[in-house]
């Protein structure tokens, strides 16, 4: 290989990114493929610069996916909890559960019926028309291709999952919690959303650097001990 060829090879955007770049590109959250010009976009499978989903009850970051608001989630509950989980449909966690509930739901956007797993809210180009042809990478969600749903889906039953959509307790409610430096946004590494614990409190959806998409390493239970005094 000549030096020039090596240089061009290193510049080639098609080569897989090295693990230390910790970018969403090439990660499990990269649903793009090389199958057609539209599907090569990475961000488009969750965000759009224009014509974002108009029907969400929360301030979502330019969301390009359908979210079925009729789904019912069963929250974690326990007699020793001091606070009660809210409905994830009204918090940022529903953006995760839009994929991670593992069930197909439908929403009508601008007169079109859009699947919350397979379609996007805005097609590239002159906008406002849902995108049913930019195919996501089927294998990411159907590893055995049309087989059973893979184990990583949380489902709609969250009774066996760490509580989410839950307001962080005050010292008066439960003294066994560390006080966050910012009551609304949490810590510099672990994030609260309007003072709540949500899926992206512990996870960073864009960064596979600490698997599985963690905001903070849980070595020595460091993540848990950020909040819990145990
Ligand atoms: C698999 C879905 C998904 C993909 C793909 C994705 N994002 Fe996001 N993004 C989210 C979610 C969910 C949130 C809100 C939760 C949070 O704050 O992390 C978010 C939040 C954001 C925010 C606002 C909060 C912040 O972290 O700054 C920006 C900016 C952003 N994304 C940019 C991008 C860009 C640029 C890309 C493509 C390189 C991208 N995202 C790809 C899901 C995604
Ligand atoms: C566009 C659909 C989509 C959205 C939105 C989404 N995910 Fe995922 N997520 C996936 C897929 C697909 C996989 C698994 C890919 C695989 O196993 O190859 C995955 C995997 C994961 C994993 C496991 C990673 C690993 O290394 O095993 C975590 C953790 C995760 N997602 C958290 C989140 C959180 C938290 C949010 C919201 C902030 C979110 N995801 C939003 C589609 C999505
Ligand atoms: C973001 C994750 C995700 C992606 C990407 C995805 N699917 Fe699905 N799909 C699902 C889930 C979850 C279901 C419902 C559970 C199941 O049947 O496994 C489903 C169901 C289906 C079904 C059953 C019919 C239905 O609507 O219930 C078909 C067919 C299908 N998917 C085809 C595809 C094809 C083809 C692709 C690639 C173009 C694709 N899927 C990409 C998540 C996904
Ligand atoms: C309190 C922190 C915390 C919250 C909140 C949280 N997770 Fe996790 N999650 C983790 C940790 C830690 C792991 C790694 C689990 C392990 O190593 O056993 C994980 C693992 C995962 C995985 C990988 C597969 C698995 O089940 O082990 C997925 C997918 C996932 N989380 C999605 C979500 C989604 C979706 C939400 C919101 C409904 C969520 N997480 C909320 C801490 C959290
Ligand atoms: C961002 C802060 C935060 C992080 C990080 C966190 N938790 Fe929690 N956890 C909470 C809150 C808030 C509750 C609800 C407590 C309540 O209302 O009493 C909770 C509830 C729980 C409960 C249920 C308590 C009960 O009374 O039923 C357990 C167990 C738990 N967490 C364990 C963990 C573990 C293990 C980790 C690390 C993987 C972890 N938590 C990480 C904030 C956090």
């Amino acid at each position: 290989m000549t030096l020039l060829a090596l240089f061009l090879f290193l510049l080639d955007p098609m080569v897989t990114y090295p693990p230390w770049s910790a970018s969403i590109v090439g990660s499990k959250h990269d649903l793009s493929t090389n199958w057609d010009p539209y599907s090569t976009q990475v961000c488009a499978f969750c965000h759009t610069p224009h014509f974002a989903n108009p029907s969400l009850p929360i301030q979502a970051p330019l969301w390009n996916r359908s979210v079925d608001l009729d789904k019912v989630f069963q929250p974690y509950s326990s007699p020793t909890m001091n606070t009660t989980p809210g409905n994830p449909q009204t918090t940022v966690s529903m953006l995760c559960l839009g994929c991670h509930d593992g069930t197909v739901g439908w929403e009508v956007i601008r007169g079109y019926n859009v699947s919350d797993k397979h379609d996007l809210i805005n097609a590239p180009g002159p906008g406002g028309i849902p995108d049913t042809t930019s195919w996501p990478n089927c294998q990411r969600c159907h590893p055995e291709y049309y087989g059973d749903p893979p184990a990583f889906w949380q489902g709609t039953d969250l009774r066996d999952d760490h509580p989410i959509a839950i307001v962080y307790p005050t010292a008066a409610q439960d003294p066994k919690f560390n006080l966050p430096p910012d009551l609304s946004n949490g810590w510099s590494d672990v994030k609260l959303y309007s003072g709540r614990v949500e899926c992206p409190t512990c996870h960073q959806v864009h960064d596979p650097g600490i698997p599985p998409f963690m905001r903070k390493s849980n070595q020595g239970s460091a993540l848990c001990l950020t909040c819990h005094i145990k």
Side-chain angles (χ1 to χ4, degrees):
M1 191 185 280
T2 65
L3 259 185
L4 179 66
L6 177 68
F7 185 59
L8 291 175
F9 172 74
L10 290 174
L11 280 182
D12 186 350
M14 290 296 117
V15 298
T16 33
Y17 284 72
W20 59 85
S21 70
S23 165
I24 190 171
V25 179
S27 77
K28 292 186 177 180
H29 276 156
D30 182 350
L31 297 183
S32 69
T33 62
N34 291 323
W35 298 341
D36 69 59
Y38 299 140
S39 311
T40 59
Q41 290 192 31
V42 179
C43 315
F45 286 101
C46 288
H47 305 286
T48 177
H50 305 289
F51 297 100
N53 190 334
S55 65
L56 298 180
I58 57 152
Q59 196 70 44
L62 295 168
W63 204 237
N64 200 23
R65 303 193 65 86
S66 155
V67 178
D68 177 7
L69 296 173
D70 294 331
K71 284 180 188 167
V72 178
F73 293 91
Q74 287 174 275
Y76 176 87
S77 73
S78 113
T80 45
M81 283 221 299
N82 305 100
T83 52
T84 319
N87 180 4
Q89 292 279 34
T90 60
T91 72
V92 68
S93 291
M94 83 179 184
L95 302 181
C96 314
L97 290 166
C99 285
H100 282 270
D101 64 8
T103 62
V104 171
W106 297 84
E107 196 186 353
V108 178
I109 300 270
R110 301 185 196 97
Y112 295 84
N113 230 1
V114 187
S115 149
D116 66 358
K117 296 297 179 295
H118 303 122
D119 305 330
L120 299 177
I121 293 307
N122 181 46
I129 303 165
D131 186 351
T132 53
T133 52
S134 285
W135 283 12
N137 186 340
C138 313
Q139 250 94 36
R140 283 260 191 264
C141 299
H142 299 286
E144 284 123 30
Y145 214 63
Y146 304 147
D148 293 327
F152 64 78
W153 301 132
Q154 271 69 15
T156 51
D157 185 348
L158 305 176
R159 287 177 299 180
D160 58 356
D161 297 297
H162 190 282
I164 49 149
I166 193 157
V167 178
Y168 197 81
T170 60
Q173 279 173 315
D174 193 334
K176 299 295 275 178
F177 278 91
N178 290 310
L179 201 64
D182 182 326
L183 292 177
S184 180
N185 301 311
W187 296 258
S188 58
D189 46 4
V190 175
K191 223 176 139 186
L192 295 178
Y193 288 78
S194 304
R196 289 172 198 268
V197 178
E198 304 287 353
C199 309
T201 292
C202 303
H203 294 286
Q204 167 51 285
V205 68
H206 308 105
D207 189 346
I210 306 170
F213 292 113
M214 298 315 295
R215 281 200 185 269
K216 179 175 183 169
S217 160
N218 204 20
Q219 213 170 5
S221 293
L223 172 68
C224 316
L225 293 170
T226 306
C227 301
H228 293 274
I229 301 173
K230 288 286 179 226

